[in-house]
Amino acid sequence: MSAHDIQSKWQQYWAENDTFLAGGADDNRPRKYVLAMFPYPSGDLHMGHAENYLYSDIVARFWRHRGHNVLNPIGWDSFGLPAENAAIRRGADPREWTYKNIEQQKAGFRAYGVSFDWSRVLHTSDPEYYRWNQWLFLKMYERGLAYRKKSPVNWCPNDQTVLANEQVVDGRCERCGAEVVKKKLTQWYFRITEYADRLLDDLNQLEGFWPHKVLQMQRNWIGRSIGADVDFRIEGRDEPVTVFSTRPDTLHGATFFVVAPDADLAAELAADAPDEVRMRFQEYLEKTQKETDIERQSTDRPKTGVFLERYAINPVNGERLPIWAADYVLADYGHGAVMAVPAHDQRDLDFARAFDLPVKVVVDTTAPLTGAVPVIPTDEDGVPIVTETLDDQHPARTGIALTGEGRMINSGDLDGLSKRNAIARQIEKLEKDGLGRAAKNYRLRDWLISRQRFWGTPIPMLHTEDGGIVPVAEEQLPVTLPSIEGLDLSPKGTSPLGAAESWVRTVVPSTGEPALRDPDTMDTFVDSSWYYLRFLSPNSSEFAFDEDEAKRWAPIDSYIGGVEHAILHLLYARFITKVLFDMGLVDFTEPFSSLINQGMVILDGAKMSKSKGNLVLFQEELDAHGADALRVGLAFAGPVEDDKDWADVSTTGAQKFLSRAMRIAGEVTSEAGIGFDGGDAVLRRATHHLLAEAPGLVEQTKFNVLVARLMELVNAIRKTIDSGAGAGDPAVREATETVAVMLDLIAPHTAEEMWELLGHEPSVGLVQWQPADPALLVEDTVTTAVQIGGKVRATLEVPAKISEAELEALARSDERVQRALEGKEIIRVIVRAPKIVNFAVKG
Ligand code: ANZ
């Protein structure tokens, strides 16, 4: 039979027998929930998919063999821009493109032999699914976690839609690469910042279970800064203005004050300024609005700004600080204004030097920090080394801000304190005087979830004529998307749904008042923030997910996917999980107990992609070599987390290995089920070593090593058969069955066929791995001589690989040795593992 015949035979068998369905509530086996990040239906499956879903399949199959009830479902993240853009190009419905691609990918997964539970398929673009996004939105709204505000947002002029911060990469739209601009719009947000501390602190639980790099990326993204809010009075303004500072210790060193040009405060202050200032400000503001945050914060571009001819009053010493508008201060971080301390902050120093503003040092970074008596460093001859004085290091001269530790100077009663103590002390004083308070700030922004596009979940809100907002009643969900009949989906800056007259015009059911539906749709990251729960009860029309099932299955034991989702998707899923926990719907706070990031499949050093024209097509590989050869080739190509160059993927090599294994299975003549005693001892040892080693290899995701070991065992079987022991040797059957059962993880079709050739009923996928026989694991032993005072007093049989420490301990515990040592003092022990232990003694 050809590889393709074998493939179809077993794929049909699995489908007909529901071999890989997860067990129900009455299944008492321990459970494992294994999930690969669900695919976007972008077209055919590609090598990235082949890799990702191979790994999750290996893990899922492994746990079945270890006696677990395994859930390994598949669904599609099927809303989003590519479908919509394809639809616009063709003048077609995004639904057509989407569901056609899904069917194609489904067929691809079946042809690849992935052991999904096909009874739980979900598509986020089905009303039965997105109805629960709307439910989630209403719950968030009830809890004050969904709100609308007008603020500057990232705007992609090409896709004509807003982007979340996470979707802006190096100032460009993540999807189309167009330069992103800022635009002030009213949008819906999820208040993720309220969960910032928990999102940060709970990362500690995941240490060791998630790649360290991903944890670090999440921490940086949340970016917690600790410091103080300080209130500054502004001349001619009633209300004080608050600034956030991580260095309240440096308050005495503030010499000017800066507001973001695009903050409301700047416009307000400029409004009362002389005409000429107002015009200069207006011009500067317009320029600023065209800049990205990254440009604004860049350290190597010259500082610019406009003096507003207004003054703030330093709350600690009453000094008048000129107020400037400058683009290096961002409107949406902290309070959009800063107290500038040029001596100790590089950005402020660059600005001060550009505009000739004073620089006042308040932390002496040359002062020794410990001990009352300064330790003066000396050279080898005891001559004091002249260290730089504060004067030498003055930032106004060097252009380098003093950011290190030191002692406070020029700061009233803070003088003499270390920077650390001064921060604490200053906060205490500010609090006591009602001029400020301890504060935290996050780089994390609230999650902007509204999009001005068609192909997404409609936001279930109504707008009344008087500007009121009324949530759609839960019983009226889903708010389904209208037909595209007569709609122009092309990007216009407002949602195409707004033009669907009969859809958008409605009434508030309770009052009959006319209202308009919210025309925006949700960011697709909302869909993927909780989908893992929907797999637990995918067809329920009563709830988003069954709480009891969630108790049984969740959180996910192994989550597998690309590192490109290290921030966005994982952070949002973690956030929504915590919200569901607070709602009492789940009993855990982290959705993914362990995370595996696979590397990319590359070709000639570059990521495979359609646009680069360096694609190796999944379907072509499947046709040429078969699913198992592709699976073995990928698994063998390198460690899971490494990028794999296609040049290192040998599907032909894999094919040869699989044929060798299969041929052996056909040769075995001993009967099935006779038990495994006797036979070739060397081969038995090899088999049991692998039985002992393999579970660890899989749990540590060393799939490539497992393939190598299976290749070695197949070679060993061949050798045993050919060396005269013959195909009837019981050790040959034992080894071949072990190969079949383990090979199921990687080459399941071949494994089923081998299992059948060996005289067993299918499915090999449900056979338990046998435990290794400890008697067959004992290492080779050698004889050690134990000498005491130069005479051999005992000999010991020890493992050949024993360590020196173990050998010494073993010698000391031997009765003969203890007797010979009685009354003697041990001066020295010389151990040369594994041969000699020598006790030098006195008396
Ligand atoms: C005075 C000061 C003195 C500061 C000093 C630093 C050093 P991170 O760590 O990123 O949180 N800042 C506050 N709001 C800002 C905004 N909207 N745009 C730009 N910069 C802003 O940075 C916090 C520091 O960044 C704050 O502490 C403030 O400058 C500045 F020796 O206050 B600092």
Side-chain angles (χ1 to χ4, degrees), residues 223-228 243-251 253-254 258-260 296-297 326-348 362-363 401-403 419 440-443 445:
R224 180 162 63 196
S225 291
I226 296 184
V243 302
F244 172 71
S245 175
T246 47
R247 296 291 307 276
D249 56 318
T250 63
L251 254 166
V258 187
V259 287
R296 289 172 64 164
Q297 289 178 295
D327 62 1
Y328 76 97
V329 173
L330 304 177
D332 58 357
Y333 187 73
H335 305 280
V338 307
M339 64 179 209
V341 185
H344 303 290
D345 181 281
Q346 191 61 45
R347 301 158 292 184
D348 297 342
V362 290
V363 185
L402 302 172
T403 56
K419 161 175 152 182
K440 280 187 275 190
N441 234 297
Y442 304 88
R443 203 178 93 89
R445 298 275 79 104

Side-chain angles (χ1 to χ4, degrees), residues 291-307:
E291 296 164 348
T292 63
D293 283 1
I294 298 190
E295 282 167 347
R296 289 172 64 164
Q297 289 178 295
S298 154
T299 46
D300 44 55
R301 67 202 265 277
K303 291 274 177 292
T304 56
V306 176
F307 176 39

